[in-house]
Amino acid sequence: MAERSRARVGVLISGRGSNMLALLYAARQADCPYVIALVVANDPEAPGLAFARAEGVATFGLSHKGRKRADFDALVDAELRSAGIEYVALAGYMRLLSDDFVARWAGRIVNIHPSLLPRHKGLDTHARALAEGDRVAGCTVHVVTEALDDGPVLGQTEVAILPGDTPDSLAARVLIAEHQLYSRTLAAFVLREAAQPLLSPQSRRA
């Protein structure tokens, strides 16, 4: 697929960026419909920024500390738009987004969450799954809305919980599932959205 025909994706991270890298490496396949055009972090020392730069991806790192949420998000929004970003993918972005930011990117921002939503929204998902005696854990890719971890589900992968699992051991297996699920789901989402203008109004309502 020609570079200019691929959707430009901006990825927001806070740390090591392993899901960002999974998306980036998947984008190197010739048939991938998206390209990672910018990586943004709310910590300028986030290891994921160095990984992205090494892979030739533009980056923007800025600490959110001491800034109002809406003001910080406006700066991020400006960077995304300056880079010609069409979709935003959250990949371990450990910061709540302002309603204004979500509204600006409505229908074009996705997230991966380490649980089978709607179970275990928020933090400490693996510890909560074990404490509640769940038989399976997993991960979910969903469209981001103003409500926390509450947007339409685009894809999920179940991960078995083993006897003797700890939050760390379970998290390690779920992360493998995340890396597999996110790139496939983002590709399908981008292709589906790109096809919408080709559909008739009657087809879109069907």
Side-chain angles (χ1 to χ4, degrees):
M1 186 174 293
E3 184 79 8
R4 64 178 177 271
S5 68
R6 298 188 184 197
R8 294 176 64 81
V9 174
V11 184
L12 273 56
I13 67 171
S14 290
R16 62 189 176 183
S18 67
N19 266 307
M20 174 273 294
L21 287 172
L23 295 177
L24 190 158
Y25 296 141
R28 290 184 171 169
Q29 299 301 308
D31 59 349
C32 185
Y34 66 81
V35 60
I36 304 304
L38 180 68
V39 174
V40 175
N42 63 318
D43 176 1
E45 301 301 319
L49 291 176
F51 298 151
R53 286 193 292 267
E55 298 293 350
V57 178
T59 64
F60 174 72
L62 181 68
S63 175
H64 65 271
K65 295 179 180 178
R67 303 175 191 272
K68 293 182 178 179
R69 189 179 308 279
D71 292 343
F72 181 80
D73 286 357
L75 293 172
V76 172
D77 179 71
E79 289 294 324
L80 293 169
R81 295 183 186 281
S82 178
I85 298 303
E86 299 168 90
Y87 297 91
V88 176
L90 307 183
Y93 191 60
M94 304 302 292
R95 182 167 171 79
L96 294 176
L97 296 169
S98 63
D99 288 352
D100 283 347
F101 184 93
V102 174
R104 291 189 196 107
W105 293 92
R108 293 182 293 150
I109 179 170
V110 297
N111 180 49
I112 188 158
H113 182 74
S115 79
L116 296 172
L117 293 175
R119 289 188 64 76
H120 309 311
K121 296 179 181 181
L123 301 176
D124 302 319
T125 58
H126 308 301
R128 289 156 60 198
L130 293 173
E132 294 186 23
D134 292 356
R135 297 179 61 185
V136 295
C139 52
T140 302
V141 177
H142 65 97
V143 178
V144 173
T145 61
E146 287 84 354
L148 177 66
D149 299 330
D150 199 42
V153 170
L154 299 174
Q156 293 184 314
T157 298
E158 290 188 355
V159 174
I161 293 178
L162 305 179
D165 256 335
T166 65
D168 286 345
S169 66
L170 179 57
R173 295 201 308 282
V174 171
L175 187 61
I176 296 171
E178 290 178 38
H179 293 168
Q180 298 292 318
L181 177 67
Y182 209 178
S183 59
R184 294 198 306 268
T185 305
L186 178 60
F189 181 68
V190 166
L191 286 173
R192 186 185 74 187
E193 292 300 299
Q196 292 300 311
L198 303 178
L199 299 177
S200 67
Q202 292 81 7
S203 296
R204 288 198 294 269
R205 289 195 296 267

